[in-house]
Amino acid sequence: MPEQPFEPERAIAGTGMGGTMDLATSEAETLEQQSSASGGRAPGGPEGTGPQEKPRSLWSDAWRDLRRNPVFIISALVILFLVVISLWPSLIASGNPLKCDLAKAQEGSQPGHPFGYDGQGCDVYTRTVYGTRTSVTVGVLATLGVAFFGAVLGGLAGFFGGVWDSILSRVTDIFFAIPVVLGGLVLLSVVTSNTVWPVIGFMVLLGWPQISRIARGSVITAKQNDYVQAARALGASNSRLLLRHIAPNAVAPVIVVATIALGTYISLEATLSYLGVGLKPPTVSWGIDISAASQYIRNAPHMLLWPAGALAITVLAFIMLGDAVRDALDPKLR
């Protein structure tokens, strides 16, 4: 076969499958320009579709999933409404929760008083609205205290290990052995204060071991990752490892458990107030109103149903929010 003469206006390009094909000079230049525009990758390939998007973080992915989750949207709206009326209850209730008229005791719904009156002649609607402030305050402050102390103690024990980890593990076992309601009956029965602080302190005292154990396990898992070992090899200090590398990647389980526990603390406050060892009059609380209305449930069920319904909706909203946050932050559920 006669040898083909060399033509300088022709170019040889690889097909990517072990062979070659001839391209005209203009076509080769076009291919080179497209390859440069796509970062050196051939167009049409799996990575040749244009500039790559910036990798999303766990938090950005979680926020994107939460915005599309109707459970999160509904629970967040309910919680936002509860927070607003707890800060400014006069927006929807203009009466005084402590103003009572015995002549109207146990009466039902009337114009301007949609929930009726309780056994002392107080407006049930006004007391239900103002009771939101107490329940939300106790729940939020108790959750913040539990999350802070539990996360700090558990995180330090999981990071340093050794004897401090062993001591913390035994201490948490002791606290787990104390029944919560029984502990509240014993500890709060000697308290005479009418403020919310003894109840919040009790919840923090018995609630931090759960968060501590979760934070400890999360830190132990995070500190074994390659990026932490690389930072340690480069000379990063312990504080930098904890604050910059471990904490951001270990805090997600703590947030999930704390969000769900917030609803639990609200119901615990109502339980302790119902038993007479939590909040005490004249503090307005759903637990106090439920306790006072329990003896009139046959003659005036409205006294019990409205504060109990508000308590149930509030606890359910926080539990639903915690479930939605858990689904968004747990990579195994994706």
Side-chain angles (χ1 to χ4, degrees), residues 2 33 47 57 70 76 115-116 169 174 200 207 231 266 291:
Q33 293 174 357
E47 297 181 353
S57 65
F115 294 176
S169 298
I174 294 174
I200 294 174
I266 292 177
S291 177

Side-chain angles (χ1 to χ4, degrees), residues 89-288:
S90 59
L91 292 177
I92 61 174
S94 58
N96 186 349
L98 301 179
K99 183 179 180 180
C100 305
D101 185 358
L102 286 175
K104 299 180 179 180
Q106 303 184 32
E107 292 185 2
S109 176
Q110 298 179 5
H113 305 278
F115 294 176
Y117 296 88
D118 63 8
Q120 300 296 323
C122 302
D123 185 20
V124 176
Y125 172 77
T126 303
R127 290 187 63 86
T128 301
V129 172
Y130 276 82
T132 307
R133 170 182 294 178
T134 303
S135 296
V136 172
T137 300
V138 171
V140 171
L141 293 181
T143 301
L144 291 177
V146 167
F148 176 77
F149 288 107
V152 170
L153 294 177
L156 293 177
F159 180 78
F160 292 104
V163 62
W164 296 110
D165 187 19
S166 300
I167 294 175
L168 181 68
S169 298
R170 301 294 76 79
V171 172
T172 54
D173 291 340
I174 294 174
F175 276 92
F176 276 127
I178 302 175
V180 176
V181 176
L182 180 59
L185 290 173
V186 173
L187 295 178
L188 295 178
S189 61
V190 298
V191 177
T192 59
S193 175
N194 293 329
T195 64
V196 300
W197 297 110
V199 178
I200 294 174
F202 162 75
M203 293 181 180
V204 174
L205 179 63
L206 293 187
W208 70 265
Q210 180 185 15
I211 299 293
S212 175
R213 181 160 292 184
I214 293 173
R216 171 184 174 273
S218 184
V219 168
I220 291 176
T221 302
K223 76 176 184 179
Q224 297 174 354
N225 292 327
D226 293 338
Y227 60 85
V228 177
Q229 301 300 327
R232 188 189 298 274
L234 292 174
S237 61
N238 290 334
S239 60
R240 182 178 179 85
L241 289 175
L242 275 171
L243 299 178
R244 295 292 301 275
H245 300 286
I246 296 179
N249 296 280
V251 73
V254 175
I255 295 176
V256 172
V257 175
T259 306
I260 297 176
L262 201 157
T264 304
Y265 294 140
I266 292 177
S267 62
L268 178 59
E269 177 272 319
T271 302
L272 295 174
S273 299
Y274 177 86
L275 296 174
V277 297
L279 301 178
K280 301 175 179 62
T283 304
V284 181
S285 168
W286 290 335
I288 295 176

